[in-house]
Amino acid sequence: MRNEYKYLTTLLIIGFVIGALIGILLWMFLEFNAGFSISISAGFGMLLGIAIGSVIDYKNKKESR
């Protein structure tokens, strides 16, 4: 079975990890609440990964027609 959403899956995972790392840095250096900064940053990273991955997959699917 071919994965139609290859970039969406990859960028979702990458966005989650990078967002969590940014949240850890915000927590360490700016002394925000740990749970809030890590979870919000990871959530925004995942949303950004979904948006970018969906656009790339849509363009690839549109070109293959």
Side-chain angles (χ1 to χ4, degrees), residues 15-28 37-38 41-42 45:
F16 177 76
V17 171
I18 291 175
L21 292 176
I22 290 171
I24 290 171
L25 292 176
L26 287 174
W27 168 54
M28 287 173 53
S37 63
I38 294 171
S41 297

Side-chain angles (χ1 to χ4, degrees), residues 1 3 7-8 14 16 20 24 27 30-31 34-35 37-38 43 45 47 50-51 54 58-59 64:
M1 183 175 158
N3 186 3
Y7 290 104
L8 175 65
I14 291 172
F16 177 76
I24 290 171
W27 168 54
L30 300 178
E31 297 180 6
S37 63
I38 294 171
L47 285 175
I50 289 170
S54 296
Y58 176 74
K59 287 182 181 179
S64 67

Side-chain angles (χ1 to χ4, degrees), residues 34-64:
F36 180 75
S37 63
I38 294 171
S39 62
I40 293 297
S41 297
F44 280 131
M46 286 172 51
L47 285 175
L48 191 62
I50 289 170
I52 294 171
S54 296
V55 169
I56 293 172
D57 283 335
Y58 176 74
K59 287 182 181 179
N60 288 341
K61 193 181 283 189
K62 190 174 180 181
E63 288 175 358
S64 67

